[in-house]
Amino acid sequence: MHEITLPRMNPRLSVNERPNPPDLQAVEWLSQLLLQSLSLKASDIHLEPFENLLRVRIRRDGHLYEMPAPPASLREQIVSRIKVQSRMDIAEKRLPQDGRFQLALPQRSIDMRVSSLPTLHGEKLVLRILDVQSQPLSFEALGLPDKELTQLQEAIHRPNGMVLITGPTGSGKTVTLYTCLNQLNTPAVNIATVEDPSEIVLPGANQINVNERIGLTFDVALRALLRQDPDILMVGEIRDLATADMAVKASQTGHLVLSTLHTNDAPSTLTRLNHMGIAGFNLASSVVLVCAQRLLRRLCNACKQPQPDRAGYRAVGCPQCLDGYKGRLAIHQVMPITPALQPLVLQQASTAELAAQAARDGVRSLREAGMCKVDAGETTLEEVMAATHD
């Protein structure tokens, strides 16, 4: 991976005042944007071309915020600079491309994943900031209550079976998976991961990036890994029947399998696998636990104020935060496959039937988990209502 070092900036001069050629101005503008995005703890940077400007937005705590646009004359130089650093073909502007580069800071390096997409007015670029050091891989950081934490830890320490993490894109599923792998990562076990692509480097694990252009798909990689004497397998995402079938078979033949799906809650995950074509008897004998999760914006402790008419706090806003929020927290619905749930899984029961039994087993819904965070003064009712459903 190519590594770049940010140049020293002169804050007294604006980009338009510097008597540098356009390429150097583009480099300095980009450096300023990267430094500012890092200081704001952004997760993504969007560079969107329109007819007369290059719109710049950053995603912070799950929401997009617009940033000052660069001079229109620097648009092409900025795009080319990013593509060169990412080892992308700067001459190819008709097809999407993916690349990576590493940002060298005085204390650490940060991985940047870059995606390009042709649009009507040019190439749109999205830079994903992969600052692993800002995300400690510890169960304490996940914020799980004691009961659910114990259930998850018991599930991942089983010798075989399948543990599934579910939620929409950007809900923190990868961090949860790697937190589990980090605890299991010892010289006594062989850990292998298959992802598209790997976002977190875990020393000691064998990590594989899928490459569909050459035929290295999830199911092909899984089939090969099963011949590599693995103990623990992590599949970045179950997208189709072939991958689901291989993951289930691996969990039934003495391996612990961790993976993710995109579903609304824990009970609907089992229904989704049924609809993919996995028989109920296979699910009942393989799935150990399903954990659904969402990320909510955390209230800024410096400016939050009690609600005058109800429990909880409201977001206000101050110089230390944006819109009254600072950082994010996770809410979880942890559903072990209990002896009472197994017959329903075997019968391929509906999501409503599975959810009703899970509730009788003491499983909280995502909304109930979110309301506990509201009562604790950590987030707002509006955040919970926007991220969950009844």
Side-chain angles (χ1 to χ4, degrees), residues 295-307:
L295 288 179
L296 309 179
R297 289 187 293 174
R298 186 189 297 272
L299 276 167
C300 173
N301 288 324
C303 64
K304 67 181 182 181
Q305 294 182 0
Q307 290 281 9

Side-chain angles (χ1 to χ4, degrees), residues 217-273:
T217 58
F218 277 108
D219 59 305
V220 170
L222 267 177
R223 191 175 293 111
L225 283 175
L226 288 175
R227 296 192 290 270
Q228 294 279 313
D229 187 32
D231 297 297
I232 301 168
L233 294 170
M234 193 274 270
V235 184
E237 182 184 346
I238 294 178
R239 299 177 178 173
D240 49 41
L241 175 58
T243 305
D245 186 57
M246 286 299 302
V248 167
K249 288 178 179 176
S251 68
Q252 292 174 330
T253 54
H255 308 91
L256 177 67
V257 178
L258 284 71
S259 189
T260 72
L261 281 91
H262 294 290
T263 56
N264 290 327
D265 54 19
S268 62
T269 302
L270 300 171
T271 309
R272 171 75 182 276
L273 288 169

Side-chain angles (χ1 to χ4, degrees), residues 50-286:
F50 293 95
E51 187 173 3
N52 297 315
L53 83 156
L54 181 68
R55 184 169 71 171
V56 181
R57 295 188 291 175
I58 63 169
R59 187 175 295 279
R60 182 182 188 269
D61 297 337
H63 288 241
L64 286 170
Y65 298 89
E66 192 155 1
M67 304 288 284
S73 59
L74 297 181
R75 185 166 80 174
E76 294 300 324
Q77 288 88 346
I78 291 169
V79 172
S80 296
R81 166 71 175 176
I82 296 172
K83 292 179 70 174
V84 167
Q85 298 299 337
S86 307
R87 294 290 196 248
M88 298 161 70
D89 184 357
I90 62 172
E92 180 56 77
K93 300 181 180 181
R94 303 165 300 170
L95 296 173
Q97 296 186 67
D98 293 297
R100 300 179 76 136
F101 66 89
Q102 199 168 70
L103 192 60
L105 298 177
Q107 288 79 26
R108 68 190 194 278
S109 294
I110 296 174
D111 290 338
M112 308 288 293
R113 195 177 78 199
V114 183
S115 171
S116 73
L117 181 70
T119 68
L120 183 63
H121 297 292
E123 291 179 281
K124 175 185 175 180
L125 298 179
V126 176
L127 287 71
R128 169 65 59 88
I129 301 172
L130 303 175
D131 189 2
V132 179
Q133 295 184 19
S134 68
Q135 300 173 332
L137 300 178
S138 67
F139 282 108
E140 292 75 15
L142 293 181
L144 279 161
D146 292 341
K147 176 187 173 182
E148 284 88 344
L149 177 59
T150 300
Q151 291 172 333
L152 179 59
Q153 288 181 321
E154 288 177 351
I156 66 173
H157 281 94
R158 291 173 59 116
N160 62 281
M162 183 182 293
V163 175
L164 298 171
I165 312 297
T166 182
T169 300
S171 60
K173 300 187 298 295
T174 300
V175 172
T176 301
L177 283 177
Y178 270 97
T179 299
C180 296
L181 290 177
N182 190 48
Q183 186 173 90
L184 299 170
N185 188 19
T186 68
V189 295
N190 179 16
I191 298 177
T193 74
V194 186
E195 300 170 85
D196 183 24
S198 298
E199 294 187 0
I200 299 176
V201 176
L202 184 67
N206 303 287
Q207 298 177 268
I208 299 172
N209 284 335
V210 301
N211 189 339
E212 295 188 359
R213 288 179 296 180
I214 63 172
L216 183 59
T217 58
F218 277 108
D219 59 305
V220 170
L222 267 177
R223 191 175 293 111
L225 283 175
L226 288 175
R227 296 192 290 270
Q228 294 279 313
D229 187 32
D231 297 297
I232 301 168
L233 294 170
M234 193 274 270
V235 184
E237 182 184 346
I238 294 178
R239 299 177 178 173
D240 49 41
L241 175 58
T243 305
D245 186 57
M246 286 299 302
V248 167
K249 288 178 179 176
S251 68
Q252 292 174 330
T253 54
H255 308 91
L256 177 67
V257 178
L258 284 71
S259 189
T260 72
L261 281 91
H262 294 290
T263 56
N264 290 327
D265 54 19
S268 62
T269 302
L270 300 171
T271 309
R272 171 75 182 276
L273 288 169
N274 284 149
H275 292 167
M276 278 187 179
I278 303 298
F281 64 87
N282 279 328
L283 288 180
S285 63
S286 59

